[in-house]
């Protein structure tokens, strides 16, 4: 999976959880909490949504590494490098 597709998937997940988020204004290096007022429930929902859409398991211990767009891409890209696209949702 290429980084652009992964970025689109993460941004789509963010918009599902926080529809008021201005995705185009996100600073990739700054935490979601600081930019779109994510609380702990929103953040957990993001992790669960990414797991479902990408067909992977994200261990609780990795959650803090996915606190920003840059962190999501850095963590998820190697895990998904061999996947051409995410699995179909059922």
């Amino acid at each position: 999976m290429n980084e652009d597709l992964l970025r689109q998937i993460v941004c789509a997940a963010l918009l599902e959880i926080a529809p008021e988020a201005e995705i185009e204004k996100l600073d990739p290096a700054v935490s979601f909490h600081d930019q779109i007022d994510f609380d702990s429930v929103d953040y957990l929902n993001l992790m669960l949504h990414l797991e479902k859409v990408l067909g992977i398991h994200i261990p609780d211990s990795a959650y803090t590494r996915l606190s920003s767009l840059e962190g999501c891409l850095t963590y998820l890209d190697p895990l998904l490098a061999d996947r051409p696209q995410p699995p179909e949702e059922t």
Side-chain angles (χ1 to χ4, degrees):
M1 177 178 303
N2 69 43
E3 189 173 302
D4 289 336
L5 178 56
L6 184 55
R7 180 183 303 270
Q8 289 174 10
I9 291 168
V10 173
C11 289
L14 287 169
L15 284 173
E16 273 202 33
I17 296 159
E20 74 283 357
E22 296 181 61
I23 298 298
E24 65 281 350
K25 293 183 179 180
L26 278 183
D27 180 338
V30 177
S31 76
F32 300 131
H33 174 76
D34 292 340
Q35 295 185 81
I36 53 179
D37 200 29
F38 250 35
D39 64 21
S40 58
V41 173
D42 293 328
Y43 191 67
L44 178 60
N45 286 334
L46 175 63
M47 296 301 104
L48 297 173
H49 185 85
L50 290 174
E51 285 182 332
K52 180 180 177 184
V53 169
L54 297 171
I56 61 171
H57 172 70
I58 302 169
D60 295 355
S61 60
Y63 284 6
T64 58
R65 295 172 60 191
L66 288 92
S67 64
S68 66
L69 182 56
E70 186 175 275
C72 286
L73 298 176
T74 300
Y75 181 83
L76 296 170
D77 189 48
L79 293 177
L80 302 168
D82 295 334
R83 291 189 187 190
Q85 62 186 16
E88 294 293 322
E89 288 191 42
T90 56

